[in-house]
PDB file of all heavy atoms in Angstrom:
ATOM      1  N   ALA R  49     -13.308  -4.945 -40.114  1.00  0.00           N
ATOM      2  CA  ALA R  49     -12.114  -4.466 -39.437  1.00  0.00           C
ATOM      3  C   ALA R  49     -11.310  -5.639 -38.878  1.00  0.00           C
ATOM      4  O   ALA R  49     -10.078  -5.640 -38.939  1.00  0.00           O
ATOM      5  CB  ALA R  49     -12.520  -3.516 -38.291  1.00  0.00           C
ATOM      6  N   GLU R  50     -11.988  -6.654 -38.335  1.00  0.00           N
ATOM      7  CA  GLU R  50     -11.290  -7.878 -37.859  1.00  0.00           C
ATOM      8  C   GLU R  50     -10.617  -8.574 -39.032  1.00  0.00           C
ATOM      9  O   GLU R  50      -9.504  -9.090 -38.899  1.00  0.00           O
ATOM     10  CB  GLU R  50     -12.272  -8.821 -37.173  1.00  0.00           C
ATOM     11  CG  GLU R  50     -12.733  -8.312 -35.804  1.00  0.00           C
ATOM     12  CD  GLU R  50     -13.521  -9.367 -35.084  1.00  0.00           C
ATOM     13  OE1 GLU R  50     -13.069 -10.505 -34.957  1.00  0.00           O
ATOM     14  OE2 GLU R  50     -14.655  -8.996 -34.615  1.00  0.00           O
ATOM     15  N   GLY R  51     -11.267  -8.623 -40.190  1.00  0.00           N
ATOM     16  CA  GLY R  51     -10.672  -9.198 -41.353  1.00  0.00           C
ATOM     17  C   GLY R  51      -9.394  -8.443 -41.792  1.00  0.00           C
ATOM     18  O   GLY R  51      -8.400  -9.069 -42.150  1.00  0.00           O
ATOM     19  N   ALA R  52      -9.473  -7.138 -41.745  1.00  0.00           N
ATOM     20  CA  ALA R  52      -8.303  -6.310 -42.127  1.00  0.00           C
ATOM     21  C   ALA R  52      -7.151  -6.565 -41.181  1.00  0.00           C
ATOM     22  O   ALA R  52      -5.989  -6.642 -41.595  1.00  0.00           O
ATOM     23  CB  ALA R  52      -8.670  -4.832 -42.182  1.00  0.00           C
ATOM     24  N   ARG R  53      -7.463  -6.698 -39.871  1.00  0.00           N
ATOM     25  CA  ARG R  53      -6.393  -7.025 -38.890  1.00  0.00           C
ATOM     26  C   ARG R  53      -5.786  -8.401 -39.164  1.00  0.00           C
ATOM     27  O   ARG R  53      -4.552  -8.595 -39.077  1.00  0.00           O
ATOM     28  CB  ARG R  53      -6.938  -6.942 -37.472  1.00  0.00           C
ATOM     29  CG  ARG R  53      -7.098  -5.534 -36.930  1.00  0.00           C
ATOM     30  CD  ARG R  53      -7.353  -5.517 -35.425  1.00  0.00           C
ATOM     31  NE  ARG R  53      -8.625  -6.120 -35.045  1.00  0.00           N
ATOM     32  CZ  ARG R  53      -9.800  -5.483 -35.074  1.00  0.00           C
ATOM     33  NH1 ARG R  53      -9.847  -4.225 -35.434  1.00  0.00           N
ATOM     34  NH2 ARG R  53     -10.896  -6.125 -34.725  1.00  0.00           N
ATOM     35  N   ALA R  54      -6.621  -9.356 -39.540  1.00  0.00           N
ATOM     36  CA  ALA R  54      -6.114 -10.708 -39.820  1.00  0.00           C
ATOM     37  C   ALA R  54      -5.237 -10.703 -41.081  1.00  0.00           C
ATOM     38  O   ALA R  54      -4.268 -11.440 -41.153  1.00  0.00           O
ATOM     39  CB  ALA R  54      -7.274 -11.680 -39.970  1.00  0.00           C
ATOM     40  N   VAL R  55      -5.566  -9.863 -42.034  1.00  0.00           N
ATOM     41  CA  VAL R  55      -4.727  -9.705 -43.229  1.00  0.00           C
ATOM     42  C   VAL R  55      -3.394  -9.102 -42.808  1.00  0.00           C
ATOM     43  O   VAL R  55      -2.322  -9.579 -43.211  1.00  0.00           O
ATOM     44  CB  VAL R  55      -5.428  -8.828 -44.300  1.00  0.00           C
ATOM     45  CG1 VAL R  55      -4.443  -8.460 -45.413  1.00  0.00           C
ATOM     46  CG2 VAL R  55      -6.626  -9.556 -44.879  1.00  0.00           C
ATOM     47  N   ALA R  56      -3.424  -8.054 -42.002  1.00  0.00           N
ATOM     48  CA  ALA R  56      -2.174  -7.396 -41.545  1.00  0.00           C
ATOM     49  C   ALA R  56      -1.311  -8.350 -40.757  1.00  0.00           C
ATOM     50  O   ALA R  56      -0.074  -8.306 -40.797  1.00  0.00           O
ATOM     51  CB  ALA R  56      -2.510  -6.156 -40.704  1.00  0.00           C
ATOM     52  N   ASP R  57      -1.956  -9.271 -39.996  1.00  0.00           N
ATOM     53  CA  ASP R  57      -1.232 -10.288 -39.214  1.00  0.00           C
ATOM     54  C   ASP R  57      -0.854 -11.511 -40.055  1.00  0.00           C
ATOM     55  O   ASP R  57      -0.332 -12.493 -39.500  1.00  0.00           O
ATOM     56  CB  ASP R  57      -2.079 -10.743 -38.008  1.00  0.00           C
ATOM     57  CG  ASP R  57      -2.258  -9.657 -36.966  1.00  0.00           C
ATOM     58  OD1 ASP R  57      -1.473  -8.697 -36.963  1.00  0.00           O
ATOM     59  OD2 ASP R  57      -3.218  -9.763 -36.173  1.00  0.00           O
ATOM     60  N   ARG R  58      -1.180 -11.461 -41.310  1.00  0.00           N
ATOM     61  CA  ARG R  58      -0.856 -12.555 -42.292  1.00  0.00           C
ATOM     62  C   ARG R  58      -1.468 -13.877 -41.905  1.00  0.00           C
ATOM     63  O   ARG R  58      -0.881 -14.943 -42.060  1.00  0.00           O
ATOM     64  CB  ARG R  58       0.657 -12.686 -42.436  1.00  0.00           C
ATOM     65  CG  ARG R  58       1.288 -11.428 -42.990  1.00  0.00           C
ATOM     66  CD  ARG R  58       2.722 -11.532 -43.225  1.00  0.00           C
ATOM     67  NE  ARG R  58       3.226 -10.299 -43.753  1.00  0.00           N
ATOM     68  CZ  ARG R  58       4.494  -9.999 -43.858  1.00  0.00           C
ATOM     69  NH1 ARG R  58       5.387 -10.875 -43.493  1.00  0.00           N
ATOM     70  NH2 ARG R  58       4.853  -8.855 -44.351  1.00  0.00           N
ATOM     71  N   MET R  59      -2.731 -13.807 -41.442  1.00  0.00           N
ATOM     72  CA  MET R  59      -3.477 -15.025 -41.114  1.00  0.00           C
ATOM     73  C   MET R  59      -4.374 -15.429 -42.266  1.00  0.00           C
ATOM     74  O   MET R  59      -4.563 -16.634 -42.522  1.00  0.00           O
ATOM     75  CB  MET R  59      -4.332 -14.794 -39.860  1.00  0.00           C
ATOM     76  CG  MET R  59      -3.490 -14.555 -38.611  1.00  0.00           C
ATOM     77  SD  MET R  59      -4.542 -14.124 -37.204  1.00  0.00           S
ATOM     78  CE  MET R  59      -5.634 -15.503 -37.109  1.00  0.00           C
ATOM     79  N   VAL R  60      -4.971 -14.463 -42.947  1.00  0.00           N
ATOM     80  CA  VAL R  60      -5.914 -14.733 -44.065  1.00  0.00           C
ATOM     81  C   VAL R  60      -5.640 -13.759 -45.180  1.00  0.00           C
ATOM     82  O   VAL R  60      -4.941 -12.761 -45.028  1.00  0.00           O
ATOM     83  CB  VAL R  60      -7.383 -14.587 -43.607  1.00  0.00           C
ATOM     84  CG1 VAL R  60      -7.713 -15.521 -42.490  1.00  0.00           C
ATOM     85  CG2 VAL R  60      -7.707 -13.161 -43.239  1.00  0.00           C
ATOM     86  N   VAL R  61      -6.231 -14.103 -46.340  1.00  0.00           N
ATOM     87  CA  VAL R  61      -6.173 -13.184 -47.514  1.00  0.00           C
ATOM     88  C   VAL R  61      -7.590 -12.970 -48.018  1.00  0.00           C
ATOM     89  O   VAL R  61      -8.433 -13.813 -47.920  1.00  0.00           O
ATOM     90  CB  VAL R  61      -5.274 -13.751 -48.638  1.00  0.00           C
ATOM     91  CG1 VAL R  61      -3.837 -13.806 -48.183  1.00  0.00           C
ATOM     92  CG2 VAL R  61      -5.748 -15.115 -49.090  1.00  0.00           C
ATOM     93  N   GLU R  62      -7.784 -11.778 -48.553  1.00  0.00           N
ATOM     94  CA  GLU R  62      -9.008 -11.394 -49.279  1.00  0.00           C
ATOM     95  C   GLU R  62     -10.322 -11.659 -48.505  1.00  0.00           C
ATOM     96  O   GLU R  62     -11.222 -12.298 -49.026  1.00  0.00           O
ATOM     97  CB  GLU R  62      -9.059 -12.100 -50.633  1.00  0.00           C
ATOM     98  CG  GLU R  62      -7.964 -11.738 -51.539  1.00  0.00           C
ATOM     99  CD  GLU R  62      -7.977 -10.274 -52.029  1.00  0.00           C
ATOM    100  OE1 GLU R  62      -9.099  -9.713 -52.140  1.00  0.00           O
ATOM    101  OE2 GLU R  62      -6.912  -9.706 -52.240  1.00  0.00           O
ATOM    102  N   PRO R  63     -10.445 -11.145 -47.289  1.00  0.00           N
ATOM    103  CA  PRO R  63     -11.728 -11.331 -46.589  1.00  0.00           C
ATOM    104  C   PRO R  63     -12.842 -10.506 -47.256  1.00  0.00           C
ATOM    105  O   PRO R  63     -12.602  -9.395 -47.735  1.00  0.00           O
ATOM    106  CB  PRO R  63     -11.448 -10.821 -45.184  1.00  0.00           C
ATOM    107  CG  PRO R  63     -10.332  -9.877 -45.337  1.00  0.00           C
ATOM    108  CD  PRO R  63      -9.505 -10.368 -46.492  1.00  0.00           C
ATOM    109  N   TYR R  64     -14.043 -11.088 -47.321  1.00  0.00           N
ATOM    110  CA  TYR R  64     -15.174 -10.389 -47.869  1.00  0.00           C
ATOM    111  C   TYR R  64     -16.474 -10.970 -47.289  1.00  0.00           C
ATOM    112  O   TYR R  64     -16.489 -12.119 -46.815  1.00  0.00           O
ATOM    113  CB  TYR R  64     -15.221 -10.465 -49.402  1.00  0.00           C
ATOM    114  CG  TYR R  64     -15.237 -11.837 -49.987  1.00  0.00           C
ATOM    115  CD1 TYR R  64     -16.455 -12.430 -50.351  1.00  0.00           C
ATOM    116  CD2 TYR R  64     -14.067 -12.549 -50.199  1.00  0.00           C
ATOM    117  CE1 TYR R  64     -16.516 -13.703 -50.901  1.00  0.00           C
ATOM    118  CE2 TYR R  64     -14.094 -13.833 -50.746  1.00  0.00           C
ATOM    119  CZ  TYR R  64     -15.305 -14.400 -51.112  1.00  0.00           C
ATOM    120  OH  TYR R  64     -15.337 -15.655 -51.635  1.00  0.00           O
ATOM    121  N   LEU R  65     -17.512 -10.156 -47.313  1.00  0.00           N
ATOM    122  CA  LEU R  65     -18.820 -10.595 -46.776  1.00  0.00           C
ATOM    123  C   LEU R  65     -19.593 -11.355 -47.854  1.00  0.00           C
ATOM    124  O   LEU R  65     -19.557 -10.987 -49.038  1.00  0.00           O
ATOM    125  CB  LEU R  65     -19.606  -9.346 -46.354  1.00  0.00           C
ATOM    126  CG  LEU R  65     -19.027  -8.583 -45.152  1.00  0.00           C
ATOM    127  CD1 LEU R  65     -19.750  -7.240 -45.010  1.00  0.00           C
ATOM    128  CD2 LEU R  65     -19.178  -9.401 -43.882  1.00  0.00           C
ATOM    129  N   ILE R  66     -20.287 -12.403 -47.404  1.00  0.00           N
ATOM    130  CA  ILE R  66     -21.156 -13.134 -48.330  1.00  0.00           C
ATOM    131  C   ILE R  66     -22.570 -13.195 -47.713  1.00  0.00           C
ATOM    132  O   ILE R  66     -22.729 -13.158 -46.478  1.00  0.00           O
ATOM    133  CB  ILE R  66     -20.652 -14.578 -48.599  1.00  0.00           C
ATOM    134  CG1 ILE R  66     -20.610 -15.410 -47.298  1.00  0.00           C
ATOM    135  CG2 ILE R  66     -19.304 -14.532 -49.278  1.00  0.00           C
ATOM    136  CD1 ILE R  66     -20.354 -16.901 -47.547  1.00  0.00           C
ATOM    137  N   ASP R  67     -23.579 -13.259 -48.552  1.00  0.00           N
ATOM    138  CA  ASP R  67     -24.949 -13.449 -48.129  1.00  0.00           C
ATOM    139  C   ASP R  67     -25.165 -14.896 -47.714  1.00  0.00           C
ATOM    140  O   ASP R  67     -24.655 -15.810 -48.418  1.00  0.00           O
ATOM    141  CB  ASP R  67     -25.923 -13.070 -49.230  1.00  0.00           C
ATOM    142  CG  ASP R  67     -25.926 -11.572 -49.552  1.00  0.00           C
ATOM    143  OD1 ASP R  67     -25.456 -10.779 -48.686  1.00  0.00           O
ATOM    144  OD2 ASP R  67     -26.356 -11.195 -50.644  1.00  0.00           O
ATOM    145  N   VAL R  68     -25.914 -15.105 -46.661  1.00  0.00           N
ATOM    146  CA  VAL R  68     -26.227 -16.488 -46.235  1.00  0.00           C
ATOM    147  C   VAL R  68     -27.688 -16.587 -45.890  1.00  0.00           C
ATOM    148  O   VAL R  68     -28.367 -15.569 -45.657  1.00  0.00           O
ATOM    149  CB  VAL R  68     -25.410 -16.907 -44.993  1.00  0.00           C
ATOM    150  CG1 VAL R  68     -23.926 -16.976 -45.357  1.00  0.00           C
ATOM    151  CG2 VAL R  68     -25.637 -15.999 -43.805  1.00  0.00           C
ATOM    152  N   GLU R  69     -28.208 -17.819 -45.849  1.00  0.00           N
ATOM    153  CA  GLU R  69     -29.573 -18.105 -45.466  1.00  0.00           C
ATOM    154  C   GLU R  69     -29.529 -19.022 -44.242  1.00  0.00           C
ATOM    155  O   GLU R  69     -28.608 -19.838 -44.098  1.00  0.00           O
ATOM    156  CB  GLU R  69     -30.315 -18.841 -46.616  1.00  0.00           C
ATOM    157  CG  GLU R  69     -30.313 -18.005 -47.884  1.00  0.00           C
ATOM    158  CD  GLU R  69     -30.749 -18.836 -49.111  1.00  0.00           C
ATOM    159  OE1 GLU R  69     -30.901 -20.048 -48.981  1.00  0.00           O
ATOM    160  OE2 GLU R  69     -30.872 -18.223 -50.162  1.00  0.00           O
ATOM    161  N   THR R  70     -30.528 -18.903 -43.388  1.00  0.00           N
ATOM    162  CA  THR R  70     -30.559 -19.721 -42.188  1.00  0.00           C
ATOM    163  C   THR R  70     -31.896 -20.460 -42.047  1.00  0.00           C
ATOM    164  O   THR R  70     -32.179 -21.029 -41.004  1.00  0.00           O
ATOM    165  CB  THR R  70     -30.347 -18.881 -40.913  1.00  0.00           C
ATOM    166  OG1 THR R  70     -31.344 -17.869 -40.867  1.00  0.00           O
ATOM    167  CG2 THR R  70     -28.963 -18.249 -40.929  1.00  0.00           C
ATOM    168  N   GLU R  71     -32.677 -20.496 -43.081  1.00  0.00           N
ATOM    169  CA  GLU R  71     -34.008 -21.088 -43.018  1.00  0.00           C
ATOM    170  C   GLU R  71     -33.983 -22.571 -42.725  1.00  0.00           C
ATOM    171  O   GLU R  71     -34.971 -23.133 -42.246  1.00  0.00           O
ATOM    172  CB  GLU R  71     -34.782 -20.787 -44.281  1.00  0.00           C
ATOM    173  CG  GLU R  71     -35.081 -19.311 -44.431  1.00  0.00           C
ATOM    174  CD  GLU R  71     -35.820 -18.988 -45.711  1.00  0.00           C
ATOM    175  OE1 GLU R  71     -36.225 -19.907 -46.406  1.00  0.00           O
ATOM    176  OE2 GLU R  71     -35.959 -17.811 -46.009  1.00  0.00           O
ATOM    177  N   THR R  72     -32.921 -23.272 -43.048  1.00  0.00           N
ATOM    178  CA  THR R  72     -32.837 -24.750 -42.848  1.00  0.00           C
ATOM    179  C   THR R  72     -32.341 -25.072 -41.467  1.00  0.00           C
ATOM    180  O   THR R  72     -32.170 -26.251 -41.161  1.00  0.00           O
ATOM    181  CB  THR R  72     -31.916 -25.344 -43.893  1.00  0.00           C
ATOM    182  OG1 THR R  72     -30.611 -24.770 -43.750  1.00  0.00           O
ATOM    183  CG2 THR R  72     -32.419 -25.127 -45.321  1.00  0.00           C
ATOM    184  N   GLY R  73     -32.097 -24.093 -40.609  1.00  0.00           N
ATOM    185  CA  GLY R  73     -31.568 -24.367 -39.302  1.00  0.00           C
ATOM    186  C   GLY R  73     -30.066 -24.249 -39.244  1.00  0.00           C
ATOM    187  O   GLY R  73     -29.491 -24.122 -38.169  1.00  0.00           O
ATOM    188  N   GLY R  74     -29.399 -24.293 -40.357  1.00  0.00           N
ATOM    189  CA  GLY R  74     -27.934 -24.122 -40.427  1.00  0.00           C
ATOM    190  C   GLY R  74     -27.655 -22.824 -41.185  1.00  0.00           C
ATOM    191  O   GLY R  74     -28.550 -22.023 -41.427  1.00  0.00           O
ATOM    192  N   ILE R  75     -26.408 -22.649 -41.540  1.00  0.00           N
ATOM    193  CA  ILE R  75     -26.000 -21.507 -42.305  1.00  0.00           C
ATOM    194  C   ILE R  75     -25.632 -22.014 -43.708  1.00  0.00           C
ATOM    195  O   ILE R  75     -24.784 -22.850 -43.870  1.00  0.00           O
ATOM    196  CB  ILE R  75     -24.765 -20.807 -41.686  1.00  0.00           C
ATOM    197  CG1 ILE R  75     -25.116 -20.327 -40.256  1.00  0.00           C
ATOM    198  CG2 ILE R  75     -24.318 -19.639 -42.571  1.00  0.00           C
ATOM    199  CD1 ILE R  75     -23.946 -19.765 -39.514  1.00  0.00           C
ATOM    200  N   LEU R  76     -26.334 -21.468 -44.703  1.00  0.00           N
ATOM    201  CA  LEU R  76     -26.140 -21.881 -46.092  1.00  0.00           C
ATOM    202  C   LEU R  76     -25.816 -20.657 -46.940  1.00  0.00           C
ATOM    203  O   LEU R  76     -26.618 -19.712 -46.966  1.00  0.00           O
ATOM    204  CB  LEU R  76     -27.414 -22.570 -46.624  1.00  0.00           C
ATOM    205  CG  LEU R  76     -27.321 -23.125 -48.033  1.00  0.00           C
ATOM    206  CD1 LEU R  76     -26.324 -24.272 -48.105  1.00  0.00           C
ATOM    207  CD2 LEU R  76     -28.715 -23.578 -48.479  1.00  0.00           C
ATOM    208  N   PRO R  77     -24.677 -20.663 -47.612  1.00  0.00           N
ATOM    209  CA  PRO R  77     -24.394 -19.516 -48.494  1.00  0.00           C
ATOM    210  C   PRO R  77     -25.497 -19.357 -49.541  1.00  0.00           C
ATOM    211  O   PRO R  77     -26.051 -20.356 -50.027  1.00  0.00           O
ATOM    212  CB  PRO R  77     -23.059 -19.910 -49.161  1.00  0.00           C
ATOM    213  CG  PRO R  77     -22.440 -20.861 -48.205  1.00  0.00           C
ATOM    214  CD  PRO R  77     -23.593 -21.619 -47.605  1.00  0.00           C
TER     215      PRO R  77
END
Side-chain angles (χ1 to χ4, degrees):
E50 288 187 52
R53 282 192 294 276
V55 169
D57 292 341
R58 299 182 179 169
M59 295 174 56
V60 301
V61 294
E62 297 294 328
Y64 58 95
L65 294 168
I66 62 170
D67 292 340
V68 296
E69 302 167 354
T70 58
E71 293 178 9
T72 60
I75 300 174
L76 183 66

